[in-house]
Amino acid sequence: MSLPAFDSLLQPDAALVVAFSGGLDSTVLLHQLRDWQQQHPQSRLRALHVHHGLSPNADRWAAHCQAICEQWQLTCDVLHVTVDGSEKGIEAAARTARYQALGAALQPDEQLLTAQHLDDQCETFMLALKRGSGPAGLAAMPVVRRLGSHRLLRPLLNQSRQSLEAYAHAHQLVWIEDESNQDLRYDRNFLRQRLLPELSQRWPHFAEATARSAALCSEQEQLLDELLAGELAERVQPDGSLHFPPLMTMSEPRANALLRRWIAGQGGAMPSRDALQRIRNEVMASREDAQPRLRFGQAELRRYRQQLYWLPVRSSLRDTVLMWPDRCQPLTLPQSLGTLRASQAQSLLRHPQPDEQVSVRFHAQGQVHLVGREGGREMKKLWQALHIPPWQRERLPLIFYNQTLVCVPDLFITREGASCDEQGWQIVWDRAACTGAEQ
């Protein structure tokens, strides 16, 4: 790859971070970017090496990467990750852990560059074909995409591995070989070692042809994105949920296309055709009083009234009890739900009696008597009247004096907790740490 090709992707003052494994591909990319950075002194360049801990050579690889970067006068930070392949396999789990670690290590203005090349693109296309993917999956890897709030760039996608090897030998580069690349139990290695060499021998330009097919699929998906953007915007609510009844009356292909784009917009992986059918049959078409839920990895799809919600999977807080003995200090809530603090700005709550302990819980039952309302209401009916979805009900901090519910911040105060004079207090719930789905 000639250096001027970087100019179409990078600004002269860009802050660049290379995902540096120490293998051939990322070594070539880092070397080329070092030369480009020297020609653009306003830019910045550093490397990140992800230590998966899966190989007995992992420590040696990390030391190699740091030594190369020291030789090239670049910074290289090592990121240690834990890979759990029990749910979706080692390959997928390692990839997920790698990108999570890389994304978390980026500074606000930095862009991440990875070294996937033409042969990788071909392998990705073939793996998507094996899975029975549609155009979105067959579009394979784009040159530019988002990784959270950052740009992820793959500037080598039009370069073959053979050309990278020629560059590395011409510049006398040194790289490491991951022994797991020879393990044919992994699908990508099987393609790389067995299938694709045969195909390329028969059809020398097979990799280029699959790249063109991937590009055409990508164009089709971009066109559908444009055509469906307005309709999708009409269906998506301010909280990110999807108003789904109109999808039940349109053609299945159109409804599926909208569902896929909504799920992608929520950060979910592309669902299979079978998964979309289950969403339609088990969630959208279920009876009105049902509370259906489908799990997709670390996310789940749920329905409340006429909305679909894409939510992170969280452990239940139903049995959690937090004591708040010193109200002069803020109380941190679990699972990034924010903090509670006492305020004297308004006298909404009465102060607890000396024999009353203040606690925070996430579940209550029985009747509740609210200030300003006659009679009592069952907690379930109260949540329904307040339009609180079932999964949020156990993520709201309920304030108790001993065994008596006195308030839920920002929602209601019970008669038992109401202040009757100017000596009361209020509870402020700071949700700054909450995610959009949790709010």
Side-chain angles (χ1 to χ4, degrees):
M1 180 180 187
S2 59
L3 292 180
F6 286 114
D7 292 336
S8 63
L9 288 175
L10 308 176
Q11 297 296 320
D13 60 349
L16 309 176
V17 178
V18 172
F20 185 35
S21 70
L24 168 70
D25 313 336
S26 61
T27 301
V28 169
L29 177 60
L30 187 61
H31 186 268
Q32 291 183 336
L33 282 171
R34 186 197 64 155
D35 289 350
W36 183 88
Q37 192 266 337
Q38 290 174 348
Q39 297 177 19
H40 300 80
Q42 291 180 313
S43 64
R44 306 197 312 273
L45 176 65
R46 68 185 182 102
L48 292 174
H49 174 81
V50 179
H51 187 303
H52 297 89
L54 298 175
S55 169
N57 297 311
D59 291 338
R60 183 172 61 84
W61 296 341
H64 167 87
C65 290
Q66 290 184 309
I68 291 293
C69 287
E70 183 178 354
Q71 177 185 340
W72 292 348
Q73 298 182 321
L74 298 172
T75 299
C76 178
D77 294 320
V78 177
L79 309 177
H80 291 262
V81 300
T82 300
V83 179
D84 181 5
S86 59
E87 183 174 319
K88 52 185 179 180
I90 288 294
E91 286 181 288
R95 182 170 57 253
T96 298
R98 179 164 60 251
Y99 279 109
Q100 287 178 344
L102 291 168
L106 295 176
Q107 299 300 317
D109 62 338
E110 289 181 327
Q111 304 174 66
L112 180 67
L113 294 94
T114 59
Q116 290 93 349
H117 48 73
L118 183 64
D119 299 69
D120 293 324
Q121 183 77 301
C122 181
E123 293 163 9
T124 301
F125 182 92
M126 296 294 287
L127 289 171
L129 192 65
K130 185 265 295 185
R131 291 192 300 269
S133 299
L138 295 175
M141 297 180 287
V143 175
V144 181
R145 75 170 179 89
R146 304 301 301 181
L147 181 64
S149 60
H150 303 272
R151 284 212 310 169
L152 170 60
L153 308 176
R154 300 183 177 103
L156 303 183
L157 277 183
N158 65 342
Q159 303 293 308
S160 68
R161 178 177 175 84
Q162 186 178 10
S163 69
L164 300 184
E165 288 178 347
Y167 180 97
H169 289 305
H171 292 82
Q172 299 181 326
L173 302 182
V174 179
W175 63 91
I176 60 176
E177 295 286 354
D178 185 343
E179 72 279 356
S180 69
N181 288 337
Q182 305 303 316
D183 191 341
L184 298 185
R185 292 176 299 174
Y186 299 123
D187 290 342
R188 189 175 288 272
N189 290 346
F190 173 76
L191 285 173
R192 183 178 301 159
Q193 303 294 337
R194 292 283 183 87
L195 185 58
L196 291 179
E198 291 284 338
L199 292 172
S200 297
Q201 184 176 0
R202 174 79 180 212
W203 300 296
H205 301 291
F206 183 79
E208 290 88 342
T210 56
R212 288 196 299 272
S213 293
L216 290 171
C217 290
S218 179
E219 287 182 9
Q220 294 298 312
E221 283 299 293
Q222 290 178 27
L223 177 60
L224 279 176
D225 286 344
E226 294 176 12
L227 294 176
L228 295 174
E231 184 174 2
L232 183 62
E234 292 178 4
R235 312 290 181 220
V236 177
Q237 306 305 300
D239 63 357
S241 63
L242 178 69
H243 183 67
F244 70 84
L247 276 65
M248 301 296 289
T249 60
M250 64 180 63
S251 71
E252 190 170 328
R254 189 182 190 92
N256 286 346
L258 288 168
L259 273 174
R260 287 191 185 99
R261 281 154 181 79
W262 172 69
I263 291 173
Q266 298 301 302
M270 188 62 60
S272 66
R273 192 173 183 180
D274 288 343
L276 292 171
Q277 193 65 45
R278 291 190 65 193
I279 292 173
R280 173 180 287 270
N281 294 340
E282 300 176 28
V283 181
M284 294 164 61
S286 61
R287 68 180 190 275
E288 188 173 345
D289 62 343
Q291 295 183 13
R293 59 198 297 182
L294 286 178
R295 181 161 178 173
F296 298 89
Q298 297 304 307
E300 63 180 3
L301 183 123
R302 302 191 64 163
R303 190 193 79 183
Y304 183 63
R305 298 186 172 172
Q306 295 185 321
Q307 311 297 123
L308 295 180
Y309 294 82
W310 188 267
L311 305 164
V313 175
R314 304 290 189 187
S315 58
S316 175
L317 294 174
R318 183 184 181 92
D319 298 324
T320 299
V321 178
L322 304 176
M323 304 308 297
W324 196 2
D326 183 4
R327 286 177 287 136
C328 293
Q329 300 296 323
L331 180 68
T332 300
L333 300 176
Q335 298 186 10
S336 300
L337 287 175
T339 59
L340 300 179
R341 59 182 174 86
S343 171
Q344 307 300 322
Q346 289 180 290
S347 301
L348 303 177
L349 277 174
R350 67 173 177 84
H351 287 291
Q353 298 297 323
D355 63 344
E356 290 180 321
Q357 292 184 314
V358 181
S359 66
V360 178
R361 308 180 189 189
F362 297 89
H363 174 70
Q365 57 187 5
Q367 283 206 337
V368 180
H369 299 82
L370 302 187
V371 172
R373 295 186 183 180
E374 295 184 1
R377 305 187 76 170
E378 290 291 333
M379 283 299 303
K380 181 178 180 180
K381 298 294 184 182
L382 179 57
W383 292 136
Q384 292 173 348
L386 293 171
H387 307 293
I388 306 297
W391 59 89
Q392 286 186 1
R393 296 170 192 174
E394 293 183 8
R395 301 187 67 75
L396 297 174
L398 283 59
I399 313 303
F400 280 75
Y401 290 172
N402 289 345
Q403 303 303 314
T404 302
L405 175 63
V406 295
C407 83
V408 177
D410 303 332
L411 284 181
F412 62 78
I413 295 176
T414 67
R415 294 181 197 169
E416 295 85 351
S419 173
C420 57
D421 54 35
E422 296 182 357
Q423 301 303 313
W425 64 302
Q426 71 176 115
I427 298 176
V428 178
W429 183 10
D430 180 4
R431 310 190 196 197
C434 296
T435 66
E438 291 168 335
Q439 293 184 44

